[in-house]
Amino acid sequence: LEALKTDGDPANPLRVVLSFGNKARELATWPWEYLYLPDDLNRGTAGTFLASDTKLTLSRNVPTMAEDKASSDDEELRILVVISEPDNANAVDTDEVLSKLTEFAKEAPDKIKLKTLPEICPDCMGESRSFARSCDTCDGNGISGVPTFRQFDKAMKWRPHIVHFIGHGKFENKVGSLGFIDEGEQNLVDWTEETDVADSFNDWKPHLVFLQA
């Protein structure tokens, strides 16, 4: 701002670039143009908002995720896959997706972490259901836990960068819903409205939410 007071020239405006890293992305949405340059009694100049000052060009720079990854190689990529298969809905195809994600995670096991809801035995993940039933590691009991909405909300405490939901969805009366599993013992669908799902992202916002419904 001192440089603006002394060196600013409408014919050759001062260029200021505000750069925001990955951990400060939210700050990029703030209205920086409305910062106010106060009166300068010594120079006899009136105060002004930065947005209206012709001697200044203000812009933002938010690095892409690729640039962020290059500058923060010590961070791991966390992927959460939610598989919801209620008994009173059509079956969902998960084998191919899990196989591809497993291969991707194996490329850099120290940097890429894969978690599923329900939890799936690592040796069964990406394999066919017939293989899972004969797996020596888990003795055919490779799936544990139930993908209820409450469990999904807890899983978000893991702070995944990518959330991939595989299941069912519907849109009725202008309201979208995702089909989690009911808390009861019948393994029935529990339609959870979009606003409740969005509330799960209040404390942590993933970079990508992929709905395969």
Side-chain angles (χ1 to χ4, degrees):
L1 296 181
E2 287 300 320
L4 178 61
K5 292 178 182 178
T6 57
D7 303 328
D9 181 359
N12 187 25
L14 183 67
R15 184 169 183 263
V16 177
V17 179
L18 302 178
S19 183
F20 301 90
N22 184 44
K23 296 182 179 179
R25 285 176 179 272
E26 186 176 350
L27 297 179
T29 65
W30 290 15
W32 295 98
E33 295 83 356
Y34 290 98
L35 284 174
Y36 188 75
L37 187 65
D39 299 343
D40 191 330
L41 298 180
N42 294 328
R43 294 185 175 88
T45 56
T48 182
F49 290 101
L50 295 186
S52 62
D53 197 314
T54 58
K55 301 187 295 297
L56 172 72
T57 299
L58 183 67
S59 61
R60 296 175 174 82
N61 175 43
V62 182
T64 64
M65 288 183 64
E67 292 172 328
D68 283 337
K69 187 176 185 300
S71 62
S72 58
D73 289 337
D74 58 331
E75 291 189 5
E76 62 183 20
L77 175 65
R78 296 182 295 277
I79 305 173
L80 173 64
V81 182
V82 182
I83 304 170
S84 180
E85 298 184 277
D87 290 341
N88 58 335
N90 294 332
V92 295
D93 186 7
T94 62
D95 290 343
E96 183 175 1
V97 172
L98 288 177
S99 178
K100 295 295 184 182
L101 288 174
T102 302
E103 291 176 8
F104 176 63
K106 287 180 178 179
E107 292 179 2
D110 294 334
K111 300 293 184 180
I112 305 173
K113 304 300 181 183
L114 181 61
K115 183 175 183 178
T116 61
L117 180 66
E119 294 185 14
I120 301 177
C121 166
D123 290 338
C124 293
M125 195 178 299
E127 301 289 350
S128 67
R129 296 177 189 276
S130 59
F131 176 88
R133 286 193 293 269
S134 61
C135 175
D136 293 333
T137 302
C138 64
D139 195 26
N141 298 312
I143 299 178
S144 62
V146 180
T148 64
F149 176 67
R150 183 171 61 173
Q151 292 301 318
F152 168 70
D153 196 43
K154 289 182 178 179
M156 286 304 301
K157 302 293 190 295
W158 187 53
R159 297 162 67 90
H161 300 99
I162 299 174
V163 176
H164 187 146
F165 176 89
I166 306 175
H168 297 277
K170 69 175 183 178
F171 188 78
E172 293 181 356
N173 299 321
K174 299 182 178 181
V175 176
S177 301
L178 289 180
F180 289 90
I181 301 296
D182 188 82
E183 292 280 355
E185 299 180 357
Q186 301 301 317
N187 202 54
L188 302 179
V189 65
D190 174 28
W191 293 112
T192 305
E193 293 188 356
E194 56 191 22
T195 52
D196 293 325
V197 176
D199 285 344
S200 295
F201 304 139
N202 284 341
D203 295 333
W204 171 257
K205 293 177 174 56
H207 295 316
L208 172 67
V209 178
F210 188 84
L211 303 179
Q212 184 179 334

